[in-house]
């Protein structure tokens, strides 16, 4: 099967890829928000300007950035992957291990997503608020984690179905073909 081939109709494939990309862009928006908050905190200090709960908002933005970026990072084959064992196998054995690993990953991420969504729901239901300088309903900052984990769970299930139906894993970069590619990957990894 062509690695770009999808078992889903084209409109669904585009929608899923768009969801992963949108989640990545949203993570970028929160990253810019962290920058702006930290800039306001740093520049405000010498000017005597206080940014109430700035540290809290920066921390919540950081959590949202981390969780919202997961699915896009996974689908872009940039998530850290330990291939020490699986890279030793080829053929049907490797495919079976890929399916098992992806199924375990999908199960674990779905479990965490379920409980993150439940935690956010409970916070909303009981009107939990933060204990900082500014009382913020906790479900608002918890949304970043819940949405990020939910999108990651969708991407894992998407990938599991893709591998189950004969596709090559899209979460893994193809082997480097030239010396330049090897050098570029080593430089990207910071080794």
């Amino acid at each position: 099967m062509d690695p770009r081939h999808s078992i889903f109709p084209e409109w669904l494939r585009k929608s899923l890829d768009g969801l992963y990309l949108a989640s990545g862009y949203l993570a970028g928006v929160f990253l810019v928000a962290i920058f702006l908050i930290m800039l306001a905190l740093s520049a405000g200090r010498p000017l005597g300007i206080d940014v109430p709960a700035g540290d809290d908002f920066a921390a919540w933005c950081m959590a949202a950035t981390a969780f919202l970026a997961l699915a896009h990072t996974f689908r872009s084959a940039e998530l850290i992957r330990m291939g020490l064992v699986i890279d030793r196998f080829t053929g049907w054995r490797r495919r079976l291990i890929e399916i098992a690993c992806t199924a375990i990953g999908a199960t674990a991420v779905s479990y965490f997503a379920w409980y993150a969504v439940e935690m956010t729901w409970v916070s909303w239901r009981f009107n939990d608020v933060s204990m900082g300088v500014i009382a913020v309903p906790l479900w608002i900052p918890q949304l970043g984690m819940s949405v990020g984990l939910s999108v990651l769970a969708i991407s894992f299930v998407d990938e599991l179905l893709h591998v189950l139906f004969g596709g090559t894993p899209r979460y893994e970069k193809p082997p480097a073909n030239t010396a330049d590619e090897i050098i570029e990957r080593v430089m990207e990894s910071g080794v």
Side-chain angles (χ1 to χ4, degrees), residues 46-81:
L47 299 173
I49 299 170
D50 183 32
V51 179
D55 294 337
D56 292 340
F57 286 107
W60 292 330
C61 288
M62 192 176 303
T65 298
F67 284 102
L68 288 168
L70 287 172
H72 183 262
T73 305
F74 174 65
R75 293 292 299 192
S76 300
E78 296 295 336
L79 205 59
I80 295 172
R81 180 172 185 267

Side-chain angles (χ1 to χ4, degrees), residues 120-121 123-125 127-128 136-144:
T120 304
W121 169 256
S123 292
W124 177 78
R125 189 167 168 224
N127 199 25
D128 287 342
V136 175
L138 281 178
W139 66 268
I140 295 171
Q142 290 170 351
L143 272 177

Side-chain angles (χ1 to χ4, degrees), residues 3-186:
R4 294 173 307 261
H5 179 73
S6 176
I7 60 165
F8 300 120
E10 188 175 338
W11 66 269
L12 183 56
R13 174 80 272 135
K14 286 184 179 183
S15 297
L16 288 171
D17 290 341
L19 175 66
Y20 309 143
L21 185 61
S23 184
Y25 278 129
L26 193 54
V29 168
F30 280 104
L31 190 61
V32 170
I34 293 169
F35 168 73
L36 294 175
I37 292 168
M38 296 307 290
L39 188 64
L41 287 169
S42 299
R45 211 169 277 128
L47 299 173
I49 299 170
D50 183 32
V51 179
D55 294 337
D56 292 340
F57 286 107
W60 292 330
C61 288
M62 192 176 303
T65 298
F67 284 102
L68 288 168
L70 287 172
H72 183 262
T73 305
F74 174 65
R75 293 292 299 192
S76 300
E78 296 295 336
L79 205 59
I80 295 172
R81 180 172 185 267
M82 302 303 288
L84 293 173
V85 174
I86 200 167
D87 287 344
R88 297 181 185 272
F89 294 95
T90 59
W92 67 269
R93 286 185 180 94
R94 181 181 178 118
R95 181 170 157 63
L96 191 62
I97 293 170
E98 290 281 4
I99 290 169
C101 289
T102 308
I104 291 168
T107 303
V109 170
S110 297
Y111 174 81
F112 290 126
W114 174 267
Y115 282 100
V117 169
E118 183 181 37
M119 177 187 66
T120 304
W121 169 256
V122 168
S123 292
W124 177 78
R125 189 167 168 224
F126 291 110
N127 199 25
D128 287 342
V129 293
S130 66
M131 297 178 62
V133 176
I134 298 175
V136 175
L138 281 178
W139 66 268
I140 295 171
Q142 290 170 351
L143 272 177
M145 180 176 69
S146 297
V147 170
L149 283 172
S150 297
V151 174
L152 181 62
I154 291 168
S155 70
F156 259 94
V157 171
D158 175 15
E159 193 63 27
L160 176 60
L161 292 172
H162 175 73
V163 174
L164 273 172
F165 285 95
T168 57
R170 294 174 290 199
Y171 51 79
E172 181 180 43
K173 287 186 177 182
N177 294 326
T178 65
D180 289 339
E181 279 184 69
I182 294 170
I183 292 169
E184 183 178 331
R185 287 189 187 176
V186 168

